[in-house]
């Protein structure tokens, strides 16, 4: 396990130190709460965007604050502020009133008190203390500070030049965004610290061909620095975006009806994330509202399907050393050879279900309460070659990429839009189609997976997941898979 000494800006500033935070925690615990945590965050972000051949904008911001949470039974009480000083924090603690009233239902109640403490204050600047931060999964350096603004702008200008070298291209849109989070969590058990670098590059190519205007997009990112985007990688992204746009210009209306469907690898795993992953999060299953509730040990997929959530993959967008409750992230097997093995848990839902957190307690920022969320969710590979799976279909659809969709957690019903798809005829890709939607049921369609490819891959690092108004970075992945039944193709 590698350890690196880095500057840490949240403690020993304005009278805030570990001893002060321990006293604040003790005040809450003395009120009879089951669990409490103090979550301090200092976050920097920077972005640049290029459009119509020029740099259209640049942005830099710093945000900081503290979220204080107390859990009593099934109730959650929370206060937060972006003012980091002892007086404000003391007021936040005093403003959390633990009420002994008995809940009449099984759902947790969130009570936000004293929102008036949200203030606009200058960011803390201090390097008085150094914390030992784990750096085994990703760098402790900031992608904002590691390279100059001119280097980032130069990269965007290169993308513009490469993109416009292709025929029919009328515009290139590119953006790069970087974040650097420093967090400190004080809870019942210990004090935890972490750093979280994040970078994301997005490229969109717009073409005009035969009177049609189409666009294609590609990009990547993760917990690394700008130098990971070398020329070869970025040219591949740009070429992929162009080829996607070109393919759309040649596509025709798609087929409709029930048919065998082949899903591509890597980013196509977003359908796994939405249609299945959310249904395996602990809060939905504790409330009994998921299609997977009370089904541990049951066959929920074909025998070749193994689904895993893993928050400790090096450099990945969805990876974290610890979750937002201080628990180490881990590899959690959700479905193994078709059998449902477990769910993803935060502290609250794990306690109420008599189990332990799986390191999946996540929050968007200090002003949000944690909930069980995915990290990097993927399906393991199988034994079939991609070409072998395509060749096994007489008449069907190959969906290579998706642009978005919706899922109903309770029923498992989903609708996904394929932005790159092909008709399969006699074991070969016949012609590209557009406007295809896949309609099905997550738990049901898994039972009809008949072939699992040997080309498992994670996405390039572009995913963000929304839940209850909070957005967090995630990863998805899978091999090519064949689904024989359970999916309807529509326009």
């Amino acid at each position: 396990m590698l350890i690196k000494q880095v500057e840490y800006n949240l403690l020993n500033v304005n009278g805030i130190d570990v001893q002060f935070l321990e006293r604040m925690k003790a005040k809450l615990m003395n009120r009879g709460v089951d669990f409490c945590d103090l979550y301090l965050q200092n976050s920097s972000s920077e972005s640049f965007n290029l459009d119509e051949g020029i740099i259209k904008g640049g942005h830099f911001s710093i945000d900081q604050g503290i979220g204080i949470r107390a859990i009593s039974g099934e109730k959650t009480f929370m206060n937060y502020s972006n003012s980091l000083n002892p007086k404000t924090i003391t007021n936040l603690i005093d403003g959390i009133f633990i009420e002994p009233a008995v809940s009449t239902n099984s759902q947790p109640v969130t009570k936000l008190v004293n929102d008036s403490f949200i203030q606009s204050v200058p960011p803390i600047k201090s390097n008085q203390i150094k914390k030992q931060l784990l750096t085994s999964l990703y760098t402790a350096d900031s992608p904002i500070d590691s390279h100059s603004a001119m280097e980032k702008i130069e990269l965007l200008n290169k993308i513009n030049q490469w993109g416009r070298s292709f025929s029919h291209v009328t515009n290139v849109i590119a953006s790069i965004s970087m974040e650097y989070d420093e967090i400190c969590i004080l809870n019942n058990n210990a004090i935890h610290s972490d750093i979280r670098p994040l970078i994301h590059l997005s490229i969109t190519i717009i073409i005009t061909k035969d009177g049609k205007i189409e666009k294609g997009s590609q990009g990547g990112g993760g917990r690394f620095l700008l130098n990971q985007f070398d020329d070869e990688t970025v040219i591949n992204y740009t070429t992929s975006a162009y080829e996607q746009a070109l393919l759309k210009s040649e596509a025709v209306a798609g087929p409709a009806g029930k048919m065998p469907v082949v899903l591509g690898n890597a980013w196509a795993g977003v359908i796994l994330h939405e249609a299945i992953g959310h249904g395996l999060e602990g809060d939905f299953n504790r409330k009994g509202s998921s299609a997977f509730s009370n089904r541990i040990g049951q066959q929920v997929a074909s025998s070749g399907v193994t689904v895993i959530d893993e928050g400790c993959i090096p450099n990945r967008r969805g990876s974290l050393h610890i979750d937002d409750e201080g628990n180490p992230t881990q590899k959690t097997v959700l479905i193994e050879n078709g059998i449902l093995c477990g769910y993803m848990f935060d502290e609250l839902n794990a306690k109420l279900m008599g189990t332990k957190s799986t390191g999946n307690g996540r929050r968007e920022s200090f002003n949000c309460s944690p909930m069980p969320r995915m990290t990097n969710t993927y399906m393991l590979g199988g034994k079939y070659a991609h070409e072998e799976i395509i060749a096994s279909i007489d008449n069907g659809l190959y969906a290579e990429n998706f642009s978005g969709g919706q899922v109903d957690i309770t029923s498992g019903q989903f609708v996904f839009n394929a932005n790159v798809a092909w008709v399969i005829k006699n074991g070969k890709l016949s012609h590209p189609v557009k406007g295809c939607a896949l309609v099905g049921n997550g738990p049901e369609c898994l039972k009809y997976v008949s072939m699992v490819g040997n080309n498992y891959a994670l996405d390039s690092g572009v995913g963000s997941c929304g839940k209850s108004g909070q957005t967090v970075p995630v990863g998805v992945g899978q091999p090519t898979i064949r689904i024989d039944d359970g999916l309807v193709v529509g326009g």
Side-chain angles (χ1 to χ4, degrees):
M1 184 72 74
L2 298 176
I3 302 291
K4 182 173 182 178
Q5 295 279 2
V6 300
E7 302 295 346
Y8 197 73
N9 296 329
L10 293 173
L11 298 179
N12 278 9
V13 178
N14 297 339
I16 300 174
D17 56 20
V18 174
Q19 291 73 29
F20 169 75
L21 295 177
E22 288 283 4
R23 291 197 301 272
M24 294 298 100
K25 183 188 77 170
K27 288 184 74 171
L28 278 181
M29 295 304 297
N30 287 338
R31 297 176 190 174
V33 303
D34 301 319
F35 180 87
C36 72
D37 56 22
L38 288 74
Y39 183 94
L40 292 86
Q41 180 181 24
N42 184 36
S43 179
S44 304
S45 64
E46 182 183 67
S47 64
F48 297 93
N49 65 284
L50 177 144
D51 190 3
E52 298 177 336
I54 61 175
I55 300 298
K56 283 288 184 75
H59 172 83
F60 178 82
S61 67
I62 296 176
D63 193 17
Q64 64 176 24
I66 183 170
I68 301 172
R69 180 180 59 142
I71 296 175
S72 179
E74 297 181 359
K75 291 187 177 182
T76 297
F77 301 83
M78 184 174 173
N79 264 346
Y80 58 90
S81 173
N82 67 350
S83 177
L84 288 178
N85 64 70
K87 181 179 178 181
T88 298
I89 294 174
T90 301
N91 286 337
L92 293 176
I93 294 286
D94 292 341
I96 295 180
F97 302 102
I98 309 301
E99 299 173 351
V102 178
S103 175
T104 57
N105 57 57
S106 61
Q107 297 188 6
V109 179
T110 300
K111 181 177 181 180
L112 299 181
V113 189
N114 291 342
D115 276 357
S116 59
F117 285 113
I118 301 304
Q119 304 171 26
S120 177
V121 296
I124 286 176
K125 293 183 179 180
S126 170
N127 54 15
Q128 297 176 31
I129 187 169
K130 293 183 178 182
K131 296 291 292 183
Q132 286 189 330
L133 302 176
L134 300 178
T135 58
S136 59
L137 296 181
Y138 42 79
T139 178
D141 296 327
S142 167
I144 298 173
D145 299 331
S146 63
H147 292 76
S148 69
M150 290 309 301
E151 289 175 291
K152 298 156 192 171
I153 291 172
E154 181 183 357
L155 174 60
L156 296 180
N157 285 327
K158 281 184 178 181
I159 293 169
N160 182 59
Q161 294 172 7
W162 291 328
R164 290 181 181 274
S165 68
F166 297 114
S167 58
H168 312 295
V169 172
T170 56
N171 196 14
V172 176
I173 301 172
S175 65
I176 187 165
S177 60
M178 295 139 287
E179 299 175 19
Y180 191 65
D181 277 354
E182 301 169 304
I183 67 165
C184 179
I185 307 169
L186 189 78
N187 60 25
N188 290 35
N189 306 314
I191 184 169
H192 312 272
S193 301
D194 196 16
I195 46 85
R196 294 166 180 180
L198 192 65
I199 191 168
H200 175 225
L201 177 67
S202 175
I203 302 170
T204 299
I205 303 292
I206 299 175
I207 68 169
T208 301
K209 183 183 179 187
D210 300 328
K212 298 179 182 178
I213 300 175
E214 297 290 351
K215 67 178 181 179
S217 298
Q218 186 56 274
R223 300 197 181 278
F224 46 74
L225 306 179
L226 186 74
N227 55 11
Q228 292 292 315
F229 293 129
D230 57 30
D231 286 357
E232 180 181 1
T233 299
V234 178
I235 289 173
N236 286 339
Y237 287 161
T238 307
T239 303
S240 177
Y242 171 72
E243 290 176 346
Q244 188 184 121
L246 200 63
L247 191 68
K248 289 181 179 178
S249 72
E250 301 168 355
V252 297
K258 270 195 171 186
M259 62 188 71
V261 174
V262 176
L263 302 181
N265 70 342
W267 176 246
V270 68
I271 202 169
L272 182 77
H273 170 101
E274 294 288 357
I276 295 139
H278 278 299
L280 297 176
E281 291 169 337
D283 48 354
F284 297 123
N285 288 281
R286 180 180 65 80
K287 299 171 188 176
S289 59
S290 168
F292 291 100
S293 295
N294 303 312
R295 299 187 65 183
I296 296 292
Q298 294 183 19
Q299 187 93 25
V300 296
S302 64
S303 59
V305 173
T306 295
V307 179
I308 292 170
D309 183 85
E310 186 172 0
C312 47
I313 306 174
N315 301 321
R316 297 304 306 182
R317 182 172 170 83
S319 293
L320 302 165
H321 292 119
I322 56 173
D323 71 1
D324 291 317
E325 297 178 303
N327 294 309
T329 55
Q330 62 184 49
K331 182 177 182 179
T332 302
V333 179
L334 303 171
I335 298 172
E336 185 171 20
N337 296 322
I339 304 297
L340 182 60
C341 298
Y343 306 122
M344 293 165 279
F345 285 108
D346 62 344
E347 286 282 354
L348 173 61
N349 289 281
K351 174 181 176 295
L352 294 174
M353 291 188 71
T355 185
K356 293 183 179 180
S357 169
T358 55
N360 289 92
R362 304 188 65 186
R363 62 174 99 196
E364 180 177 323
S365 71
F366 66 88
N367 58 13
C368 301
S369 187
M371 64 182 83
R373 305 291 300 271
M374 284 172 275
T375 55
N376 303 296
T377 310
Y378 58 89
M379 182 189 297
L380 289 183
K383 63 182 180 179
Y384 296 97
H386 170 83
E387 297 76 14
E388 189 178 1
I389 296 176
I390 297 294
S392 70
I393 303 286
D394 290 329
N395 182 39
L397 185 80
Y398 169 50
E400 181 180 356
N401 210 333
F402 294 90
S403 58
Q406 301 177 52
V407 62
D408 183 321
I409 301 299
T410 303
S411 66
Q413 290 294 125
F414 64 80
V415 179
F416 277 89
N417 302 312
N419 61 357
V420 177
W422 294 77
V423 166
I424 304 174
K425 289 286 187 183
N426 301 319
K428 295 182 179 180
L429 299 183
S430 173
H431 57 274
V433 293
K434 61 182 178 180
C436 282
L438 300 184
V439 182
N441 181 281
E444 288 302 312
C445 75
L446 283 181
K447 298 176 181 177
Y448 299 104
V449 175
S450 60
M451 301 177 77
V452 179
N454 59 11
N455 60 343
Y456 152 78
L458 290 169
D459 76 289
S460 61
V462 297
S464 292
C465 173
K467 178 180 176 181
S468 299
Q470 296 188 41
T471 301
V472 296
V474 296
V476 299
Q478 68 176 38
T480 299
I481 59 174
R482 169 177 170 163
I483 302 176
D484 287 338
D485 199 359
L487 289 179
V488 176
V489 179

